[in-house]
Amino acid sequence: MFNPVVTKNSKSFRAYNDYRKSVFYENSPRDSERILYILPWLLSVNEPECPGYIDGLKRDFRVFGVENCGQYKHQQKNEDFFKRAFGIRKKGSLLVSKADSCMIHGVYTIGSVGTISQTQISDCDIWICYDRSEFDPIMWKQFNQKINLIKGWFDNFSKIQVFLFLCEIKDIRKGDFGSVGSESSGSTQQNVLKEEFYRTSILICGKIPCWWVAYEEWGRMDYDSFALETSQRPVEECDYIDLGNLENVPRHEFFGATLWQLNKSMVMPMKSIIKMALLKMQLEVEQDNLVCHRFRQRVLSGDYELDPMAFTMEEIFKHYSNKSSPSDFEFLKECFYLKCELNPFDKKKSKKNKSAYELFKQFQLSKETQIRLSKFKDWIVTAQINLGKRLFVHLLKSYDEIKKNHEGVASKAALEDLTILGRKITCGYQPKKDKINVLLKPSSELNLGGIIFVNRNDAWYLYAGTDKKNVLFSSSDITSAIAFVVWNDFFSPVATKMEPNPTSVTLQEIINLATKMRNFLGTCDVFETDPQNYLTNNYIEKAMVIINFETHHLEREISDIGVICKNSWGEIFANRFHSLDEFREFIGNMNNGGRLVDFTYYLKRNCIDYEKVLGRVKSIVMTSYRDDFFGS
């Protein structure tokens, strides 16, 4: 018999969890039904008509408690609804309990879904928790097949991008989430991720984490004793899962996580600035004073309609209100308002609006500021990019303060990551001679409205849409301008325009070159480059040779050669030569570190001596280049 406090806490947790589900349903009615209701059912049935069907399945899979889950009563949802959705005519329940079923102990969301910060572009990370010892090799293979098939169904039918993560219980318990992989500079998330999980997760179906219920405000309950008691009960009868206690997070883990967030900020700065503020706050308080602890205490005290992200921001705002300059503090509030995509004109009495109202009633933003921020998608693109620059400057400032005050707690791996990250930032955003720079984007949805090429006074200018007051880029070399558009992922054949001008360049040739350039060089992606590349000297990997692009097609002489190079650090450089001798010298001195360089060539198809001109340039490359190579 469990302690009565556990029973009380369980009821409180379920009331809070039901509230979170209702917020998710309100934010995303159709997708939340698929995730909260259909997903655990699909994991627990094996029918040919259903996503996840495995022919010759050795044993059934089953999410713990799926047949008694209260969610199936939500809006009168039941198994017949699911069967009709997939065209199943078989009568009776498909959830037939079998003693030898492989158990899935719990299915949980982690992150922003079902919170104030969920937006139309939010994704949904889902942990599917299992005990590896319960799977033989065949069942393990079939389990992975089932998960992949269900993931494919979500990819096809869900507006929300859904990610399914198989998480072994004992690994979560140890805080072993492995390497973050190619998307980071190498640090592991460890207990920082577990803190986020306990603070933001929704129990879709399965067992309640012991951490949520093995708690008394004055600390009289022993977690380890409760976890041991649950482990001694039959797994099919125990409602609780031991994912490990979380009393504190070592400072070096918070420090490592700041590296991860600064890394992520290169593509998602609005999200990263909030997480960086949280990490910095946690480094400045006692190690055992975690936000998830205070959040749990509030929920189990009866505050069931508590939004985890609103609560987290309340804690952050309290911490920084007297520690930051007024301008920095105001900027932090504005960032969270933008992150949540709030609208001051939205009068719906939604749960999201209620949480936002309570938060910004305490930490006020002027009505004028709210209106300005709510129109962010309509800002001119240069104003949006200026916000991106401000975001990144703020992030770097926060990181510099963290590094100055806490570098002594960094792990050996994190110290190596400092080198990698420093070079990655340099590569991404530090100007260099002939380098095509990357614009800092606050979001993926810029108000671009297409790109217009304008030639004026022997120079090329790029404008976004109808905004002719603010120049995005300018150069005497149009191939540099095209490279800028491609590398910043601004290129769209149908949205590229050119004003009439006296040059021989045509819009179609711009589109043709940009298309080939994008196919060959790609677009700027800081996660595409292997982090280990930054620990060695950079070298040229690819080179695109562009011949006589701005000369008339009847011109037989080679008087204009552009070379766009991409190096091993993920940078591209634009060079232009007006003589073959200059071009020959450049190729001969190309820094490739003794490695092969992948060459490709572009020459207008209507060039009068196409084959002759192209052959001559290729010959120069072959005779000037100091190593064997393969051209294309």
Side-chain angles (χ1 to χ4, degrees):
M1 186 69 180
F2 287 128
N3 187 320
V5 174
V6 171
T7 303
K8 175 181 176 296
N9 289 345
S10 298
K11 291 180 179 178
S12 297
F13 172 80
R14 291 194 183 280
Y16 158 73
N17 198 61
D18 287 343
Y19 170 74
R20 288 289 307 284
K21 288 180 178 180
S22 70
V23 175
F24 189 12
Y25 182 81
E26 189 177 75
N27 290 346
S28 307
R30 186 66 61 86
D31 285 329
S32 64
E33 284 183 351
R34 296 188 178 105
I35 293 168
L36 297 176
Y37 311 142
I38 297 180
L39 173 59
W41 184 78
L42 288 177
L43 289 168
S44 305
V45 300
N46 192 52
E47 291 294 320
E49 299 89 344
C50 291
Y53 171 70
I54 304 293
D55 187 21
L57 185 65
K58 185 176 179 181
R59 289 161 52 198
D60 287 327
F61 300 101
R62 193 173 194 79
V63 179
F64 176 84
V66 65
E67 65 281 350
N68 298 318
C69 235
Q71 67 232 33
Y72 294 114
K73 298 177 183 178
H74 181 78
Q75 290 198 343
Q76 299 181 334
K77 300 294 181 194
N78 53 47
E79 194 174 2
D80 288 338
F81 172 83
F82 303 139
K83 287 161 67 175
R84 288 194 300 271
F86 295 107
I88 300 172
R89 299 181 180 277
K90 186 182 295 186
K91 294 185 178 181
S93 176
L94 302 180
L95 292 170
V96 179
S97 180
K98 295 181 181 179
D100 67 341
S101 295
C102 273
M103 183 183 294
I104 297 169
H105 292 257
V107 183
Y108 314 84
T109 69
I110 174 175
S112 63
V113 294
T115 74
I116 185 178
S117 60
Q118 181 185 344
T119 66
Q120 292 182 352
I121 63 172
S122 295
D123 55 25
C124 182
D125 292 346
I126 297 174
W127 288 11
I128 299 175
C129 297
Y130 65 94
D131 183 344
R132 184 67 171 87
S133 66
E134 298 173 9
F135 292 75
D136 63 26
I138 294 176
M139 288 304 300
W140 177 243
K141 180 180 179 181
Q142 292 181 332
F143 186 37
N144 280 270
Q145 289 174 338
K146 190 175 188 71
I147 296 300
N148 288 335
L149 290 169
I150 293 173
K151 172 64 167 67
W153 177 73
F154 274 111
D155 288 345
N156 290 329
F157 293 98
S158 178
K159 290 183 179 179
I160 294 178
Q161 193 170 13
V162 176
F163 298 96
L164 304 178
F165 296 94
L166 293 180
C167 301
E168 187 166 7
I169 294 170
K170 70 177 183 180
D171 288 340
I172 302 175
R173 195 178 296 146
K174 293 185 298 183
D176 182 7
F177 299 101
S179 173
V180 177
S182 62
E183 288 192 347
S184 81
S185 48
S187 296
T188 54
Q189 295 295 280
Q190 298 173 301
N191 290 302
V192 174
L193 189 58
K194 187 184 284 189
E195 191 278 336
E196 181 183 0
F197 173 76
Y198 282 146
R199 178 168 43 85
T200 66
S201 61
I202 299 173
L203 169 58
I204 294 175
C205 189
K207 300 182 177 184
I208 300 174
C210 292
W211 181 87
W212 265 103
V213 298
Y215 168 80
E216 281 186 283
E217 186 172 353
W218 305 112
R220 291 187 295 271
M221 182 173 292
D222 181 68
Y223 180 93
D224 292 334
S225 297
F226 176 72
L228 178 63
E229 183 181 358
T230 63
S231 68
Q232 294 173 340
R233 295 168 67 92
V235 293
E236 67 275 5
E237 296 179 10
C238 184
D239 291 337
Y240 307 105
I241 182 172
D242 177 19
L243 299 178
N245 197 11
L246 188 65
E247 294 181 347
N248 59 67
V249 176
R251 292 189 185 280
H252 73 266
E253 292 185 22
F254 280 126
F255 185 87
T258 63
L259 297 177
W260 165 241
Q261 284 307 321
L262 197 59
N263 198 9
K264 293 283 283 185
S265 72
M266 296 182 187
V267 290
M268 293 187 294
M270 197 68 69
K271 183 177 181 180
S272 292
I273 199 169
I274 304 302
K275 290 201 171 185
M276 186 73 91
L278 173 61
L279 292 166
K280 187 170 181 288
M281 179 184 75
Q282 291 284 195
L283 277 166
E284 293 171 353
V285 300
E286 296 297 324
Q287 284 182 269
D288 59 352
N289 188 17
L290 300 177
V291 177
C292 64
H293 291 162
R294 302 195 290 278
F295 182 71
R296 176 180 60 181
Q297 191 275 330
R298 281 273 298 272
V299 170
L300 297 184
S301 295
D303 196 350
Y304 307 142
E305 297 187 357
L306 187 62
D307 185 291
M309 294 307 299
F311 176 84
T312 300
M313 292 312 301
E314 180 182 342
E315 295 292 297
I316 290 173
F317 290 162
K318 286 178 182 176
H319 180 80
Y320 289 107
S321 58
N322 296 319
K323 289 180 175 288
S324 301
S325 67
S327 60
D328 283 349
F329 183 57
E330 194 71 12
F331 185 58
L332 188 61
K333 290 191 292 181
E334 291 180 14
C335 287
F336 187 66
Y337 195 93
L338 276 170
K339 168 68 179 68
C340 296
E341 295 184 2
L342 298 172
N343 184 350
F345 301 108
D346 187 354
K347 303 302 181 183
K348 293 186 297 186
K349 297 184 182 300
S350 67
K351 295 177 174 67
K352 176 172 179 172
N353 284 354
K354 179 183 176 182
S355 295
Y357 175 79
E358 293 298 329
L359 179 65
F360 288 104
K361 179 181 178 182
Q362 184 177 359
F363 302 97
Q364 293 186 356
L365 275 176
S366 69
K367 195 71 173 180
E368 293 78 8
T369 299
Q370 292 182 42
I371 293 172
R372 176 175 59 84
L373 296 174
S374 69
K375 297 179 179 179
F376 171 75
K377 291 183 179 179
D378 298 323
W379 292 8
I380 59 173
V381 70
T382 47
Q384 293 175 328
I385 290 168
N386 286 336
L387 175 65
K389 292 178 183 177
R390 189 178 177 192
L391 281 167
F392 197 68
V393 167
H394 187 95
L395 282 161
L396 283 177
K397 179 181 177 183
S398 296
Y399 178 69
D400 285 342
E401 291 174 359
I402 291 170
K403 183 179 177 181
K404 178 182 177 181
N405 297 324
H406 304 285
E407 189 174 359
V409 305
S411 65
K412 182 178 179 181
L415 289 174
E416 184 177 90
D417 290 346
L418 281 170
T419 300
I420 294 173
L421 185 63
R423 289 183 175 178
K424 181 176 286 191
I425 293 170
T426 297
C427 292
Y429 303 115
Q430 186 179 70
K432 297 179 183 177
K433 184 177 184 299
D434 300 323
K435 178 179 171 180
I436 300 300
N437 292 320
V438 180
L439 295 183
L440 294 149
K441 305 173 188 176
S443 78
S444 59
E445 298 181 356
L446 294 181
N447 186 24
L448 198 61
I451 294 291
I452 300 178
F453 285 77
V454 176
N455 182 272
R456 187 170 60 246
N457 299 326
D458 296 324
W460 289 95
Y461 298 86
L462 299 181
Y463 297 94
T466 58
D467 177 20
K468 293 294 183 64
K469 294 181 179 180
N470 299 282
V471 178
L472 277 180
F473 181 85
S474 64
S475 174
S476 61
D477 178 12
I478 191 171
T479 57
S480 296
I482 294 171
F484 171 85
V485 173
V486 169
W487 195 235
N488 279 279
D489 200 18
F490 292 159
F491 174 62
S492 167
V494 297
T496 301
K497 310 294 181 185
M498 182 175 68
E499 285 193 350
N501 62 77
T503 72
S504 62
V505 177
T506 66
L507 177 59
Q508 189 58 54
E509 286 295 344
I510 291 175
I511 293 171
N512 291 346
L513 176 56
T515 300
K516 183 166 185 175
M517 192 181 294
R518 183 173 62 183
N519 292 339
F520 182 65
L521 297 175
T523 59
C524 182
D525 182 352
V526 295
F527 292 149
E528 184 183 65
T529 303
D530 186 337
Q532 296 304 308
N533 285 10
Y534 296 109
L535 296 176
T536 61
N537 292 331
N538 68 71
Y539 54 88
I540 300 299
E541 290 184 326
K542 294 184 174 185
M544 184 175 197
V545 181
I546 306 163
I547 309 161
N548 283 358
F549 189 77
E550 291 193 64
T551 60
H552 196 276
H553 70 280
L554 296 178
E555 178 64 53
R556 285 186 164 87
E557 295 299 319
I558 303 172
S559 58
D560 180 16
I561 301 180
V563 184
I564 311 296
C565 296
K566 182 178 181 181
N567 68 18
S568 58
W569 286 4
E571 299 171 291
I572 68 169
F573 295 82
N575 300 273
R576 190 177 184 185
F577 309 100
H578 295 289
S579 76
L580 291 179
D581 288 339
E582 289 178 347
F583 173 64
R584 186 179 289 108
E585 182 180 3
F586 175 81
I587 296 298
N589 293 326
M590 185 174 285
N591 170 30
N592 72 318
R595 300 169 177 84
L596 299 178
V597 175
D598 185 8
F599 281 92
T600 194
Y601 302 85
Y602 186 89
L603 176 62
K604 291 182 287 189
R605 293 299 304 183
N606 64 353
C607 175
I608 190 169
D609 286 333
Y610 181 87
E611 296 296 339
K612 182 178 178 180
V613 170
L614 184 59
R616 189 177 178 190
V617 172
K618 285 187 176 183
S619 177
I620 291 173
V621 171
M622 291 179 68
T623 56
S624 302
Y625 192 57
R626 292 177 177 174
D627 298 274
D628 292 334
F629 70 98
F630 296 99
S632 60

